Amino acid sequence: MAKPLHLGFLYAPQSGHQTHDESFDPLNPIHLTSLARDLEGAGFAFLLVDDSVGHAAPARSEAFTTASFLATRTRHIGLIAAANTSYVEPYNVTRLAASLDHVTHGRAGWLVATGVADPAGANYGQAAFAPDLHYQRAEEILDIARRLWDSWEDDAFVRDKRSGVFVDGAKIHPIDYIGASFTVKGPLNVARPPQGQVIVAHRVVDRRSAEFAGRHADIAILGAATAGDIAALRANVIAAASGARREEQHVRLFAEIVPVIGPDHAAGAPGATSASFLSGTATKIVDEIEALTNAVTLDGLLVAPRVLRSGLDAFSRDVVPELVRRQRLLSANGSITLRERLNLSRPRNIFEHKAPQHASTAG
Amino acid sequence: MSKRELHFGLMFWAGGTHPSGWRYPSSHAGAAFDIEFLQRVTQLVEAAKFDFLFLGDRLASDPSLQTTNPSQMSRLEPFVSGASLAAATSHIGIVVTANPTYYDPYNLARMFASLDHLSQGRASWNLVTGADEIAAGNFSRQAHWDTERRYDWADEFVAVVRGLWDSDAITPLHHKGRYFEVAGPLNVKRPPQGHPVILHAGTSDRSRELGARDADVIFAGQATIESAKAYYADVKSRAGKYGRADSEIAILPGLTPVVAETTQQAVAIYDHLNSFIALEPDGDGGEASRYGSLGRMGKRRNLTAVSAAIGVDVSGQNRDAPVDPIVLAEANEDGRRLFADVTRLTRRDVKGPDRLTYRDLIIGHISTGAIVVGDAKEVADHIQHWFDERAADGFNIFPPYVPESVEAFTGLVVPELQRRGLYRTDYSGSTFRDHLGLAKPGPILSNATSL
């Protein structure tokens, strides 16, 4: 019996297989606000603000700026922003993600994209380079980000007005990172994120991305057309996770679905293989979701309607109530942070045990 | 030509710009990461019709900053806080500090274009080239670039960013320069302001040149009206070389106002703030740590440093004792200026009923930038004087402690300036360019389409 699911929403106007209605303007803050609030109201666990630095067509605003704007306009929904590790400085992207976590009070995530999926060297004075190098860079940046997020311990701030002690310097750590591509001294100039570590998401479409997700991601988004292919990607992620000595239950597995709601007719996937196309009436779509999640153990679905906003509106109006009726939708259940909502524990700070040990008097 | 009017920005270091501002009783010591608090303060200055909110930045941190610049140790990334502030406001300009030395033009052009769309025309770039040497260590750099290199890079960087803002499918950028190769086009539509407002600060020759050519607002740090007038005249005349009118650049020096209902109350607040500053023992009069030297209090906080500055040995004196008038009589020119400044701020003198102390001299010596202490009329007089004398087109207001100093300025000084007809009582438009009276620039590329 499949378990109840989290729903995530993919916001990616004019890239991949998503377009938008004429009445929806991705650069209009009022339209964006209404989209995010409606998702929140429909019970979505997160909104994934996708991004591209390689697509030439003007489509939307940059993901972290957009998510930061929406942070103030929403209260409960997770906000995951995409950034491409092939074209950023690690210090900059790390503090963007940490800061988004602060302004959302722990609802932030970072979709780690690379130049493999979104090549953009021509905008950055870079020649194209091999997929392995893109991923090597991503590995380094993740490693740096995780250390920088921990570079301030949770209780580094003393802020004692009477004594004038603002911080405890022993709880602020340089990271002294030296790698193949980057050298970063640290510490970060942002307090530790409310979630400790910001939620990291990655799209899994092949073995390499599965490897990366298994090692690093809290959310792995499995993108394939059939249940069999989704199951294969899932197995690769789990194998990579256990290879990295991570526990399977620390990775939340989402499958990307493209719902096409309408009269019951077979509208096959238009050649795309990076998502599962489900079409027909709401009942039929929920049947297919159940079939999928009976075949593959999943924590949630990333809903990627083809058309903004009409595709979302139809999904929220018709499919969500049916999922609720069949007790297949997980609610926020009083959680505050995205980590809590996904039932992931708050990681211990890697620098904490390195602090000078206090003499123990315990017997 | 429309009447010249004052412009105000809020230099928003959330813990206050005074090194001990966070210790002031009503201050919020955890302000830097409290976005709702930052939004409330922003709404406060928006209600007072400020032109902009200024988010400063530093790309490095070190625990040693806590004694000199605690506000500068850590903060929210400014695009994140800027977008969050945009979501809670409707008119005020939002200035994000970004350093081209450690950014990429394609990313930065996208971020500013995005913020301009999300804020509906209120984004602004404070272009700094970064004197902060320790930042290099966070960005895989062997060494801190020298001024020439940083400005050469920044000059080309700004041109690329402007080109990207103007680019589209028909006219992508295809930039190939000394430092950058950028194909373009930008995949965010042209910003509502055309080009977001550009701010720049600096006193070096390269900085003045960049400001005169590229900046819409110049944020200057001159402490005296004489130096501010000279700077103002110099930058405006340089701007003429680039075909820009005087009115196209607003020069806004920093100003720290300590204001209260009465002069006496204002002086008491000023003294209270300074009472938190930990002085150092006499002996070493040299420079303080390199972190401190970047901001306030780079000088030693002792009488040895004061002695060296004023040309009279006062080291070892009891700091709470009144200063012997003979010290003023024997002081050099810098020393006489220091005494005059301390008297102007504290109303204490070497004679009369209220005597200035050796401690006052130490505080006066380490203070930087322009400070004014007084009631609403006195602070408004100071502002009007600088404005009338063309030392300033307005001010970037440094709130020494937050939020009370902001409330005092907006509640007391702003209405006084409005009564005098020097300052707007409402916004005349909704974009930052509107507040500055600047037109939306046409695209640089001749056949590019605009919104």
Side-chain angles (χ1 to χ4, degrees), chain B residues 167-300:
Chain B
S167 68
D168 61 20
I170 301 152
T171 46
L173 189 64
H174 292 312
H175 175 88
K176 227 177 193 167
R178 183 170 166 198
Y179 297 112
F180 303 106
E181 265 192 68
V182 184
L186 193 66
N187 60 7
V188 181
K189 278 186 194 156
R190 193 164 193 255
Q193 293 185 98
H195 295 184
V197 170
I198 293 183
L199 267 79
H200 185 62
T203 51
S204 72
D205 187 63
R206 289 297 300 268
S207 159
R208 289 175 193 226
E209 219 40 48
L210 189 156
R213 188 186 62 233
D214 274 307
D216 305 297
V217 176
I218 295 201
F219 158 47
Q222 275 66 32
T224 67
I225 190 165
E226 293 76 24
S227 60
K229 280 171 74 171
Y231 181 86
Y232 185 101
D234 177 58
V235 170
K236 296 236 172 176
S237 84
R238 287 175 193 243
K241 273 193 332 206
Y242 297 102
R244 307 183 69 197
D246 275 11
S247 61
E248 288 177 54
I249 298 186
I251 297 182
L252 311 180
L255 177 66
T256 302
V258 180
V259 61
E261 294 277 357
T262 68
T263 306
Q264 198 182 8
Q265 284 166 356
V267 171
I269 291 169
Y270 182 65
D271 287 339
H272 190 178
L273 276 170
N274 290 331
S275 72
F276 297 121
I277 294 175
L279 303 188
E280 296 172 307
D282 291 345
D284 182 358
E287 279 282 291
S289 77
R290 64 186 176 126
Y291 300 115
S293 68
L294 285 166
R296 269 165 192 265
M297 298 178 64
K299 299 166 183 166
R300 288 281 169 199

Side-chain angles (χ1 to χ4, degrees), chain A residues 25 27-30 32 51-66 68-73 87-92 95-100 102-105 121-126 148 152 157-169 172 181-191, chain B residues 22-36 39 57-63 66 70-81 83-89 102-107 110-111 114-115 117-120 134 136-141 164 169 180-189 276:
Chain A
D25 176 1
L27 291 174
N28 183 321
I30 297 157
L32 282 168
D51 207 351
S52 166
V53 285
H55 284 283
R60 58 196 153 190
S61 45
E62 186 278 332
F64 273 97
T65 325
T66 307
S68 303
F69 180 87
L70 293 174
T72 290
R73 301 285 175 96
Y87 313 107
V88 286
E89 278 286 345
Y91 200 82
N92 288 340
R95 63 193 294 245
L96 281 169
S99 300
L100 180 63
H102 282 284
V103 300
T104 56
H105 303 291
N123 288 327
Y124 296 88
Q126 287 181 11
L148 285 173
W152 290 63
F157 285 99
V158 180
R159 295 174 182 139
D160 181 7
K161 288 188 179 183
R162 189 182 291 265
S163 67
V165 176
F166 190 65
V167 294
D168 178 351
I172 303 168
S181 306
F182 302 105
T183 305
V184 180
K185 180 153 181 36
L188 196 62
N189 52 7
V190 182
Chain B
W22 68 276
R23 294 178 69 183
Y24 195 76
S26 62
S27 288
H28 178 8
F33 295 99
D34 183 344
I35 189 64
E36 286 79 16
Q39 288 169 333
D57 200 14
R58 282 184 85 154
L59 296 173
S61 183
D62 189 279
Q66 72 170 312
S71 280
Q72 297 195 7
M73 291 190 72
S74 63
R75 77 211 64 83
L76 295 166
E77 195 284 334
F79 279 104
V80 171
S81 46
S84 301
L85 296 174
T89 53
Y102 302 116
Y103 242 108
D104 183 278
Y106 195 81
N107 289 342
R110 292 188 84 226
M111 304 285 280
S114 300
L115 185 61
H117 282 288
L118 291 163
S119 65
Q120 298 180 298
I134 59 171
N138 289 329
F139 290 86
S140 307
R141 298 276 168 81
L164 284 168
F180 303 106
E181 265 192 68
V182 184
L186 193 66
N187 60 7
V188 181
K189 278 186 194 156
F276 297 121

Side-chain angles (χ1 to χ4, degrees), chain A residues 161 166, chain B residues 9-29 31 37 41 44-45 50 68-72 254-260 265-277 296-297 345 363 367-374 379 396-410 413:
Chain A
K161 288 188 179 183
F166 190 65
Chain B
L10 182 72
M11 178 60 147
F12 200 11
W13 294 101
T17 54
H18 188 282
S20 301
W22 68 276
R23 294 178 69 183
Y24 195 76
S26 62
S27 288
H28 178 8
F37 177 79
V41 175
L44 196 64
V45 289
F50 269 40
T68 54
N69 279 301
S71 280
Q72 297 195 7
L255 177 66
T256 302
V258 180
V259 61
Q265 284 166 356
V267 171
I269 291 169
Y270 182 65
D271 287 339
H272 190 178
L273 276 170
N274 290 331
S275 72
F276 297 121
I277 294 175
R296 269 165 192 265
M297 298 178 64
L345 295 169
I363 299 295
S367 298
T368 58
I371 306 170
V372 57
V373 180
V379 174
N396 198 4
I397 298 297
F398 281 52
Y401 53 105
V402 182
E404 254 191 62
S405 72
V406 182
E407 291 162 350
F409 187 83
T410 57
V413 181

Side-chain angles (χ1 to χ4, degrees), chain B residues 342-373:
Chain B
V342 171
T343 297
R344 179 178 66 80
L345 295 169
T346 65
R347 275 61 167 186
R348 293 189 283 273
D349 207 338
V350 291
K351 51 186 191 301
D354 224 357
R355 299 294 184 88
L356 65 83
T357 64
Y358 288 99
R359 182 186 170 83
D360 289 333
L361 291 183
I362 300 175
I363 299 295
H365 178 60
I366 61 174
S367 298
T368 58
I371 306 170
V372 57
V373 180

